[in-house]
Amino acid sequence: ALIFFVGSVRAARWGGGATKVALVAAAWSVVYVCACPVIGRLVTARNAHRLALSGCLLLTLVSGLLAVADGFEAMLVLVGVSGLATALFFPPFQVLMKAMDTAGGRSVAYSTGLYTFSWSTGFACGPFVSGFLMQFGRSGTPGGEGIGWRYAFLFGAVVSAATAAALWYFLRVWRAMPHE
């Protein structure tokens, strides 16, 4: 959501009309929709953790690169790659959550609820925080842009890296626990 928001604001500030702004979400969506069925066929309970971690790490890299991408075309390509990173994360994460919750005696409904709560919280917080970060270094001219967009994308990189670290930690803890 942070990438959608910051990318859309940047496209608008570059003088893009509605179609150019819409391309930001479309670039992510097309790649995500095409990648999810492929990744869905590849993911298993045994490799879900590696795929989810690789998605987090790829999104960390993409967010960092977005912080230095100055042109619309470069940004659009990176937004598309973020769709791949997201596809590498979400379907495997769902498989992982199901395996963990089933082993812990929790229902699929619990797993689905926690999953939905988690991504919804991120979807709400990412644009909100990045909106504040984008105010840094803003010029006084209408539509003027400072360096705040870079901070917003770097914030996304930090959150993605922290998600990878947290996932790695919880996997270690979960594996160390006795399972029935």
Side-chain angles (χ1 to χ4, degrees):
L2 179 152
I3 290 174
F4 290 168
F5 175 73
V6 178
S8 296
V9 169
R10 295 208 71 220
R13 286 185 175 165
W14 279 325
T19 302
K20 193 171 186 177
V21 171
L23 279 173
V24 175
W28 177 90
S29 298
V30 167
V31 175
Y32 182 75
V33 163
C34 292
C36 275
V38 173
I39 292 167
R41 282 188 215 107
L42 299 174
V43 69
T44 65
R46 297 188 94 174
N47 69 6
H49 67 286
R50 285 189 297 276
L51 291 172
L53 283 170
S54 67
C56 288
L57 295 174
L58 181 57
L59 197 54
T60 300
L61 175 65
V62 167
S63 296
L65 291 173
L66 279 165
V68 297
D70 276 329
F72 178 75
E73 292 79 13
M75 182 183 74
L76 207 57
V77 167
L78 289 167
V79 167
V81 176
S82 78
L84 174 61
T86 308
L88 280 167
F89 177 77
F90 280 116
F93 185 72
Q94 291 174 27
V95 170
L96 197 58
M97 286 295 297
K98 181 180 180 281
M100 289 178 154
D101 286 346
T102 301
R106 293 189 179 104
S107 70
V108 173
Y110 176 85
S111 178
T112 303
L114 183 60
Y115 168 82
T116 302
F117 172 80
S118 299
W119 77 256
S120 298
T121 301
F123 212 82
C125 294
F128 188 72
V129 171
S130 62
F132 283 108
L133 293 173
M134 290 178 73
Q135 301 303 310
F136 289 105
R138 198 173 96 202
S139 69
T141 61
E145 184 173 56
I147 60 170
W149 64 272
R150 294 182 195 273
Y151 297 143
F153 282 133
L154 290 173
F155 171 72
V158 168
V159 169
S160 297
T163 301
L167 183 59
W168 178 81
Y169 173 77
F170 286 118
L171 284 168
R172 286 184 50 125
V173 169
W174 181 71
R175 284 189 184 128
M177 294 170 54
H179 300 283
E180 293 181 31

